[in-house]
């Protein structure tokens, strides 16, 4: 097992983990977390004989806390820097939430020559914010609140997200796990408040419609229909329709944080997709 950094063209140090051998699987995490959010997936696929790689997005986790570049183009370029640095070929790219947008922009912006398949999990594409052309999106005021709370009361705001909608712990009959909540909060607080503040605009206002149309490789779209962070109806079905080679799996009752709460099912479906 190794932990390393790659320096991007604009001087940002990106932390990454690179474990194992075999076909590479590259993981892109959600807002405002880090590569650590992929523990359940990295350990599972490592045991299945895959090489697993996950990086901390700029301003997140252990990567440089720079003041700028917190947009999807830079996120995609940083991912490309990791892929190029490691010389990856035939990679499987898996992105959760904001990381799903990062994967989509990377494949559209940098080409698919080094990639074999992709998985978009509870991902933000095609577009989260409501516009005249996207009437099913969330009002911009929702994301303005995200920014305001991040800037002024981040510690409590992050705790409330983890205890509530992210894992569906606010649903009747849910059984919250203190360790999962604490780990989400730990990851969030490890990153830069500036990166997280700017990142809200990146994940909510970036339109991935044209990017999705350009992705020719097979893509698995996974989404829970009880996702309270990235609502299902305006995301996964539309993404799957826009992808030339997309397959949609809808999980009844699964929350946004399903890679953690339902890791066994999620991992099994990804493995089947990779092997197909």
């Amino acid at each position: 097992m190794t932990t390393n950094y790659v320096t991007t063209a604009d001087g940002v140090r990106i932390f990454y983990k690179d474990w194992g051998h075999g076909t590479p699987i590259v993981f892109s995490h959600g807002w405002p977390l880090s590569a650590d959010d992929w523990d359940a997936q990295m350990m599972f696929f490592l045991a299945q004989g895959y090489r697993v790689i996950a990086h901390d997005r700029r301003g997140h986790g252990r990567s440089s806390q720079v003041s700028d570049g917190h947009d999807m183009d830079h996120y995609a370029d940083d991912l490309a820097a990791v892929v190029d640095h490691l010389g990856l070929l035939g990679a499987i790219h898996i992105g959760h939430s904001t990381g799903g947008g990062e994967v989509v922009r990377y494949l559209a912006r940098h080409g698919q020559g080094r990639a074999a398949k992709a998985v978009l999990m509870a991902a933000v594409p095609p577009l989260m914010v409501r516009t005249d052309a996207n009437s099913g999106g969330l009002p911009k005021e929702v994301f303005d609140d995200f920014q305001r709370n991040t800037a002024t009361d981040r510690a409590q705001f992050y705790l409330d997200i983890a205890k509530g909608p992210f894992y569906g712990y606010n649903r009747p009959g849910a059984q919250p796990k203190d360790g999962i909540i604490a780990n989400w909060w730990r990851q969030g607080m490890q990153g830069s408040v500036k990166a997280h503040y700017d990142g809200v605009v990146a994940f909510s206002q970036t339109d991935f419609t044209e990017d999705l149309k350009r992705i020719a490789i097979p893509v698995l779209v996974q989404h829970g229909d009880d996702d309270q962070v990235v609502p299902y109806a305006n995301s996964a079905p539309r993404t799957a329709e826009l992808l030339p080679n997309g397959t949609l799996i809808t999980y009844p009752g699964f929350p946004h944080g399903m890679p953690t709460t339902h890791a066994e099912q999620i991992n099994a479906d990804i493995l089947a997709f990779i092997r197909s």
Side-chain angles (χ1 to χ4, degrees):
M1 295 185 180
T2 60
T3 54
N4 280 303
Y5 288 85
V6 58
T7 301
T8 67
D10 59 341
V12 179
R13 277 168 50 89
I14 300 295
F15 169 88
Y16 68 90
K17 307 175 188 182
D18 179 10
W19 306 341
H21 305 279
T23 300
I25 303 178
V26 185
F27 297 92
S28 294
H29 65 78
W31 178 97
L33 305 173
S34 73
D36 295 350
D37 202 45
W38 290 112
D39 285 356
Q41 282 68 48
M42 292 187 71
M43 293 300 291
F44 174 82
F45 287 102
L46 182 66
Q48 296 293 325
Y50 291 91
R51 179 183 180 184
V52 292
I53 299 149
H55 67 290
D56 291 352
R57 186 170 298 118
R58 64 170 58 204
H60 296 62
R62 291 139 292 202
S63 292
S64 299
Q65 293 198 6
V66 292
S67 63
D68 55 5
H70 307 296
D71 56 75
M72 282 295 166
D73 284 351
H74 281 90
Y75 295 168
D77 293 350
D78 294 348
L79 175 55
V82 174
V83 171
D84 293 347
H85 175 71
L86 296 177
L88 303 181
L89 295 173
I92 313 296
H93 283 274
I94 301 179
H96 175 241
S97 195
T98 299
E102 178 181 293
V103 167
V104 168
R105 181 55 54 90
Y106 162 75
L107 293 172
R109 183 174 170 88
H110 292 275
Q112 299 150 60
R114 291 178 176 268
K117 295 183 178 181
V119 179
L120 306 178
M121 186 188 306
V124 298
L127 174 62
M128 285 198 72
V129 72
R130 181 181 297 166
T131 65
D132 291 342
N134 186 42
S135 60
L138 295 172
K140 184 175 179 294
E141 289 76 15
V142 171
F143 305 109
D144 293 342
D145 285 344
F146 260 73
Q147 286 193 299
R148 183 178 64 255
N149 286 315
T150 296
T152 61
D153 195 14
R154 183 169 65 140
Q156 186 61 50
F157 182 49
Y158 285 5
L159 186 60
D160 291 342
I161 292 173
K163 290 170 62 176
F166 197 91
Y167 296 111
Y169 287 156
N170 56 345
R171 294 307 198 202
Q175 298 180 338
K177 292 188 176 182
D178 291 343
I180 289 176
I181 294 167
N183 190 43
W184 198 99
W185 187 89
R186 173 192 67 84
Q187 291 177 71
M189 294 305 296
Q190 188 179 22
S192 158
V193 65
K194 177 62 162 57
H196 297 168
Y197 181 88
D198 292 351
V200 173
V201 173
F203 76 67
S204 66
Q205 297 185 32
T206 302
D207 189 341
F208 299 96
T209 301
E210 296 305 316
D211 300 273
L212 290 165
K213 294 176 182 178
R214 295 173 58 188
I215 299 174
I217 60 173
V219 181
L220 176 63
V221 181
Q222 298 177 301
H223 217 109
D225 68 3
D226 193 33
D227 191 322
Q228 300 173 68
V229 178
V230 182
Y232 172 83
N234 200 56
S235 53
R238 296 181 60 221
T239 289
E241 289 175 2
L242 289 164
L243 287 163
N245 195 3
T247 300
L248 172 63
I249 299 180
T250 302
Y251 299 92
F254 280 25
H256 189 65
M258 64 184 188
T260 298
T261 59
H262 296 80
E264 184 175 354
Q265 181 66 61
I266 296 301
N267 293 347
D269 289 341
I270 295 173
L271 183 62
F273 170 70
I274 291 174
R275 289 177 171 174
S276 64

